[in-house]
Amino acid sequence: MTRDRSFLRDNGLTLAFGAGFLLTLAGQAIAGHAEFNNRLIAEELHPLSFGGYLLTSDFAVDVTENWQSEYLQFFLYIFGTVWLLQRGSPESKELHKAGPESDEEQKVGEHARPESPRWAGVGGARQAWYSRSLGTLMCVLFLLSWFAQSVTGVAAYNEEHLRELQAPIGWFDYLGAADFWSRTLQNWQSELLAVGSMAIFSVYLRQRGSPESKPVGSAHGATGVEG
């Protein structure tokens, strides 16, 4: 196998989803541009170019409101599954492993191995941070994208109101507005539903060859077993 083929094989999941992300983002931009211009024409205003649309708050808020909900999903899932269990689900740890687990189980400190990440064995604050770095990053990305949604959202909200000759509102006022919470909660509820559904459906249903599923022949009650 050549080096290029080996790279593609070893990184196929990231590359495939990254490409899918770019394609769907482009599709969203094209569809959003058409919808935005339809609204402008209906209001007897001049339509925008595609490049101009990409710089609008209307496009930015649609993108960021989806990003924040996705990162919230992963943040809650990563931290929640430390303690929360689901009997029979491969999405759950084994029932006797609730909590952060021992240093030996996590291979940190004196139990770190030669191939372990360097900060797994250093102890102190660096090890404590690295032990929670994935969830911390998801939390930071969620907060940043939620903040971006609020900034772009108030700009889009005010642009629409100005076209209707209504007074704009400030950022703090927008945080309490129905528009902000409608955008936010419609995404949160769908993410929570998806995660909860995956946790319980994977107890009884199988997908051969997927690490998100138990082996086809595993008992329904087998927990923390991946195919």
Side-chain angles (χ1 to χ4, degrees):
M1 182 178 292
T2 66
R3 183 174 180 179
D4 288 343
R5 288 185 178 179
S6 177
F7 176 82
L8 292 174
R9 181 204 64 189
D10 293 349
N11 299 278
L13 192 60
T14 299
L15 293 172
F17 276 86
F21 161 72
L22 295 176
L23 288 172
T24 52
L25 182 62
Q28 177 187 352
I30 293 168
H33 176 236
E35 180 188 12
F36 186 75
N37 277 342
N38 286 339
R39 295 205 309 267
L40 292 181
I41 292 170
E43 296 170 6
E44 299 182 348
L45 298 171
H46 292 293
L48 278 179
S49 66
F50 182 69
Y53 171 71
L54 295 182
L55 299 177
T56 64
S57 55
D58 190 88
F59 175 65
V61 69
D62 286 344
V63 171
T64 54
E65 73 176 70
N66 285 293
W67 288 3
Q68 60 87 6
S69 65
E70 297 297 336
Y71 284 123
L72 174 67
Q73 174 192 142
F74 286 116
F75 163 63
L76 293 177
Y77 190 69
I78 290 166
F79 273 101
T81 51
V82 174
W83 296 97
L84 301 177
L85 307 170
Q86 175 60 58
R87 180 182 294 275
S89 177
E91 301 297 313
S92 168
K93 296 193 294 186
E94 295 175 69
L95 300 179
H96 65 282
K97 290 187 176 181
E101 303 179 13
S102 67
D103 286 355
E104 182 177 3
E105 289 173 311
Q106 287 292 308
K107 303 180 180 64
V108 297
E110 63 181 13
H111 301 287
R113 298 177 178 179
E115 67 274 14
S116 298
R118 185 165 58 89
W119 280 20
V122 296
R126 286 183 294 173
Q127 181 189 300
W129 177 84
Y130 187 70
S131 298
R132 297 161 179 82
S133 56
L134 180 59
T136 300
L137 176 61
M138 293 297 108
C139 180
V140 170
L141 291 174
F142 158 64
L143 293 174
L144 289 175
S145 54
W146 197 21
F147 173 72
Q149 178 202 330
S150 71
V151 172
T152 56
V154 71
Y157 183 83
N158 282 335
E159 285 176 7
E160 183 176 349
H161 275 224
L162 287 171
R163 290 199 299 269
E164 298 172 354
L165 302 180
Q166 297 182 40
I169 64 173
W171 181 69
F172 280 107
D173 290 329
Y174 181 70
L175 294 183
D179 183 80
F180 175 68
W181 287 104
S182 175
R183 287 179 176 274
T184 296
L185 294 174
Q186 69 178 334
N187 285 282
W188 288 6
Q189 55 87 12
S190 63
E191 301 300 338
L192 294 171
L193 174 64
V195 172
S197 298
M198 180 64 180
I200 190 62
F201 291 160
S202 60
V203 174
Y204 303 102
L205 305 178
R206 309 286 188 270
Q207 181 60 53
R208 185 167 184 161
S210 174
E212 301 304 315
S213 167
K214 293 183 287 189
V216 177
S218 293
H220 290 326
T223 307
V225 178
E226 296 181 346

